[in-house]
Short mmCIF file of all heavy atoms in Angstrom, two decimals:
data_model
loop_
_atom_site.label_atom_id
_atom_site.label_comp_id
_atom_site.label_asym_id
_atom_site.label_seq_id
_atom_site.Cartn_x
_atom_site.Cartn_y
_atom_site.Cartn_z
N ASN A 21 -8.46 -3.13 -0.97
CA ASN A 21 -8.47 -4.48 -1.51
C ASN A 21 -7.37 -4.69 -2.54
O ASN A 21 -7.17 -5.80 -3.03
CB ASN A 21 -9.83 -4.81 -2.13
CG ASN A 21 -10.81 -5.39 -1.11
OD1 ASN A 21 -10.51 -5.48 0.08
ND2 ASN A 21 -11.98 -5.76 -1.58
N LYS A 22 -6.66 -3.63 -2.88
CA LYS A 22 -5.54 -3.74 -3.81
C LYS A 22 -4.44 -4.59 -3.16
O LYS A 22 -4.07 -4.35 -2.01
CB LYS A 22 -4.99 -2.33 -4.07
CG LYS A 22 -4.51 -2.02 -5.44
CD LYS A 22 -4.00 -0.59 -5.48
CE LYS A 22 -3.82 -0.06 -6.89
NZ LYS A 22 -5.12 0.35 -7.46
N HIS A 23 -3.92 -5.57 -3.87
CA HIS A 23 -2.88 -6.41 -3.29
C HIS A 23 -1.59 -5.61 -3.08
O HIS A 23 -1.35 -4.60 -3.74
CB HIS A 23 -2.62 -7.61 -4.19
CG HIS A 23 -3.61 -8.72 -4.00
ND1 HIS A 23 -3.34 -10.04 -4.24
CD2 HIS A 23 -4.91 -8.69 -3.55
CE1 HIS A 23 -4.39 -10.79 -3.96
NE2 HIS A 23 -5.35 -9.99 -3.54
N THR A 24 -0.79 -6.09 -2.16
CA THR A 24 0.43 -5.39 -1.77
C THR A 24 1.31 -5.06 -2.97
O THR A 24 1.88 -3.97 -3.05
CB THR A 24 1.22 -6.25 -0.78
OG1 THR A 24 0.39 -6.56 0.35
CG2 THR A 24 2.47 -5.53 -0.29
N ARG A 25 1.42 -5.99 -3.90
CA ARG A 25 2.27 -5.81 -5.08
C ARG A 25 1.92 -4.53 -5.85
O ARG A 25 2.80 -3.88 -6.41
CB ARG A 25 2.12 -7.03 -5.98
CG ARG A 25 2.85 -6.92 -7.32
CD ARG A 25 2.64 -8.18 -8.12
NE ARG A 25 3.22 -8.09 -9.45
CZ ARG A 25 3.20 -9.07 -10.34
NH1 ARG A 25 2.62 -10.23 -10.03
NH2 ARG A 25 3.75 -8.91 -11.53
N TYR A 26 0.64 -4.18 -5.87
CA TYR A 26 0.18 -3.01 -6.61
C TYR A 26 -0.02 -1.80 -5.70
O TYR A 26 0.18 -0.67 -6.14
CB TYR A 26 -1.12 -3.33 -7.34
CG TYR A 26 -1.02 -4.58 -8.18
CD1 TYR A 26 -1.59 -5.78 -7.76
CD2 TYR A 26 -0.33 -4.58 -9.39
CE1 TYR A 26 -1.48 -6.93 -8.52
CE2 TYR A 26 -0.21 -5.73 -10.16
CZ TYR A 26 -0.79 -6.91 -9.71
OH TYR A 26 -0.66 -8.06 -10.46
N ALA A 27 -0.41 -2.04 -4.47
CA ALA A 27 -0.73 -0.93 -3.57
C ALA A 27 0.52 -0.24 -3.02
O ALA A 27 0.59 1.00 -2.98
CB ALA A 27 -1.60 -1.42 -2.41
N GLU A 28 1.51 -1.03 -2.59
CA GLU A 28 2.66 -0.42 -1.93
C GLU A 28 3.43 0.55 -2.82
O GLU A 28 3.79 1.64 -2.37
CB GLU A 28 3.59 -1.51 -1.37
CG GLU A 28 3.10 -2.06 -0.05
CD GLU A 28 4.18 -2.86 0.67
OE1 GLU A 28 5.24 -3.14 0.06
OE2 GLU A 28 3.95 -3.20 1.84
N PRO A 29 3.69 0.22 -4.08
CA PRO A 29 4.40 1.20 -4.93
C PRO A 29 3.62 2.50 -5.09
O PRO A 29 4.22 3.58 -5.15
CB PRO A 29 4.55 0.47 -6.26
CG PRO A 29 4.49 -0.98 -5.92
CD PRO A 29 3.52 -1.06 -4.79
N VAL A 30 2.30 2.41 -5.17
CA VAL A 30 1.48 3.61 -5.32
C VAL A 30 1.51 4.44 -4.04
O VAL A 30 1.71 5.66 -4.08
CB VAL A 30 0.04 3.23 -5.71
CG1 VAL A 30 -0.88 4.45 -5.65
CG2 VAL A 30 0.01 2.62 -7.11
N VAL A 31 1.29 3.78 -2.92
CA VAL A 31 1.30 4.49 -1.63
C VAL A 31 2.65 5.15 -1.39
O VAL A 31 2.74 6.32 -0.97
CB VAL A 31 0.94 3.52 -0.48
CG1 VAL A 31 1.16 4.17 0.88
CG2 VAL A 31 -0.52 3.07 -0.61
N ARG A 32 3.71 4.42 -1.68
CA ARG A 32 5.06 4.96 -1.50
C ARG A 32 5.34 6.08 -2.51
O ARG A 32 5.89 7.13 -2.16
CB ARG A 32 6.09 3.84 -1.65
CG ARG A 32 7.53 4.27 -1.37
CD ARG A 32 8.46 3.07 -1.34
NE ARG A 32 8.46 2.33 -2.59
CZ ARG A 32 7.92 1.11 -2.75
NH1 ARG A 32 7.31 0.52 -1.74
NH2 ARG A 32 7.97 0.50 -3.93
N GLY A 33 4.97 5.86 -3.76
CA GLY A 33 5.25 6.84 -4.80
C GLY A 33 4.52 8.16 -4.60
O GLY A 33 4.99 9.21 -5.03
N LEU A 34 3.38 8.12 -3.91
CA LEU A 34 2.61 9.33 -3.63
C LEU A 34 2.97 9.95 -2.29
O LEU A 34 2.37 10.94 -1.87
CB LEU A 34 1.10 9.02 -3.67
CG LEU A 34 0.56 8.59 -5.04
CD1 LEU A 34 -0.92 8.23 -4.93
CD2 LEU A 34 0.77 9.67 -6.09
N GLY A 35 3.96 9.38 -1.62
CA GLY A 35 4.42 9.93 -0.36
C GLY A 35 3.46 9.73 0.79
O GLY A 35 3.50 10.47 1.79
N LEU A 36 2.63 8.70 0.72
CA LEU A 36 1.66 8.45 1.78
C LEU A 36 2.15 7.42 2.80
O LEU A 36 1.58 7.31 3.88
CB LEU A 36 0.34 7.94 1.17
CG LEU A 36 -0.39 8.91 0.24
CD1 LEU A 36 -1.58 8.21 -0.41
CD2 LEU A 36 -0.85 10.15 1.00
N ASP A 37 3.21 6.70 2.45
CA ASP A 37 3.66 5.62 3.32
C ASP A 37 4.15 6.12 4.67
O ASP A 37 3.95 5.46 5.70
CB ASP A 37 4.75 4.78 2.64
CG ASP A 37 5.91 5.63 2.14
OD1 ASP A 37 5.69 6.80 1.76
OD2 ASP A 37 7.05 5.12 2.14
N ASN A 38 4.79 7.29 4.70
CA ASN A 38 5.30 7.82 5.96
C ASN A 38 4.28 8.65 6.71
O ASN A 38 4.55 9.12 7.82
CB ASN A 38 6.55 8.67 5.70
CG ASN A 38 7.72 7.84 5.22
OD1 ASN A 38 7.89 6.70 5.66
ND2 ASN A 38 8.50 8.38 4.30
N ARG A 39 3.11 8.84 6.12
CA ARG A 39 2.07 9.64 6.75
C ARG A 39 0.95 8.78 7.31
O ARG A 39 0.33 9.14 8.32
CB ARG A 39 1.50 10.65 5.74
CG ARG A 39 2.56 11.60 5.18
CD ARG A 39 2.02 12.43 4.05
NE ARG A 39 0.92 13.28 4.48
CZ ARG A 39 0.11 13.94 3.66
NH1 ARG A 39 0.29 13.83 2.35
NH2 ARG A 39 -0.85 14.69 4.13
N ALA A 40 0.68 7.68 6.66
CA ALA A 40 -0.39 6.79 7.12
C ALA A 40 0.07 6.02 8.35
O ALA A 40 1.19 5.51 8.41
CB ALA A 40 -0.78 5.83 6.01
N ALA A 41 -0.82 5.92 9.33
CA ALA A 41 -0.48 5.20 10.56
C ALA A 41 -0.48 3.70 10.33
O ALA A 41 0.19 2.96 11.06
CB ALA A 41 -1.48 5.57 11.67
N THR A 42 -1.20 3.23 9.34
CA THR A 42 -1.20 1.82 8.98
C THR A 42 -1.68 1.68 7.55
O THR A 42 -2.46 2.52 7.07
CB THR A 42 -2.09 0.97 9.93
OG1 THR A 42 -1.90 -0.41 9.66
CG2 THR A 42 -3.55 1.33 9.78
N VAL A 43 -1.21 0.66 6.86
CA VAL A 43 -1.65 0.36 5.50
C VAL A 43 -1.98 -1.13 5.44
O VAL A 43 -1.10 -1.97 5.65
CB VAL A 43 -0.59 0.71 4.44
CG1 VAL A 43 -1.09 0.32 3.05
CG2 VAL A 43 -0.24 2.19 4.49
N ILE A 44 -3.23 -1.44 5.17
CA ILE A 44 -3.68 -2.83 5.05
C ILE A 44 -4.09 -3.06 3.60
O ILE A 44 -4.93 -2.34 3.06
CB ILE A 44 -4.89 -3.10 5.97
CG1 ILE A 44 -4.56 -2.74 7.43
CG2 ILE A 44 -5.33 -4.56 5.86
CD1 ILE A 44 -3.46 -3.56 8.05
N CYS A 45 -3.48 -4.08 2.98
CA CYS A 45 -3.74 -4.37 1.58
C CYS A 45 -4.66 -5.58 1.44
O CYS A 45 -5.01 -6.24 2.42
CB CYS A 45 -2.43 -4.62 0.85
SG CYS A 45 -1.29 -3.21 0.91
N GLY A 46 -5.04 -5.87 0.21
CA GLY A 46 -6.00 -6.94 -0.03
C GLY A 46 -5.51 -8.32 0.33
O GLY A 46 -6.31 -9.24 0.53
N ASP A 47 -4.19 -8.49 0.43
CA ASP A 47 -3.63 -9.78 0.80
C ASP A 47 -2.92 -9.74 2.15
O ASP A 47 -2.20 -10.68 2.49
CB ASP A 47 -2.68 -10.28 -0.28
CG ASP A 47 -1.60 -9.26 -0.65
OD1 ASP A 47 -1.69 -8.10 -0.20
OD2 ASP A 47 -0.67 -9.62 -1.39
N THR A 48 -3.15 -8.69 2.92
CA THR A 48 -2.54 -8.62 4.26
C THR A 48 -3.15 -9.67 5.17
O THR A 48 -2.46 -10.29 6.00
CB THR A 48 -2.75 -7.22 4.87
OG1 THR A 48 -2.14 -6.24 4.02
CG2 THR A 48 -2.14 -7.13 6.26
N VAL A 49 -4.46 -9.87 5.05
CA VAL A 49 -5.16 -10.91 5.81
C VAL A 49 -5.81 -11.85 4.80
O VAL A 49 -5.83 -11.59 3.60
CB VAL A 49 -6.20 -10.31 6.77
CG1 VAL A 49 -5.51 -9.51 7.87
CG2 VAL A 49 -7.21 -9.43 6.03
#
């Protein structure tokens, strides 16, 4: 439920962005 503005930097900074098959944030839908 974390909005993209806050979630994406964390996911990317922890190196999860290239490992996760999909990332859905609180404002994706």
Side-chain angles (χ1 to χ4, degrees):
N21 272 4
K22 217 181 195 79
H23 279 207
T24 303
R25 174 179 175 179
Y26 308 104
E28 279 195 350
V30 171
V31 171
R32 185 172 60 251
L34 295 177
L36 297 173
D37 54 329
N38 292 324
R39 301 171 62 191
T42 188
V43 177
I44 304 297
C45 300
D47 53 351
T48 301
V49 294

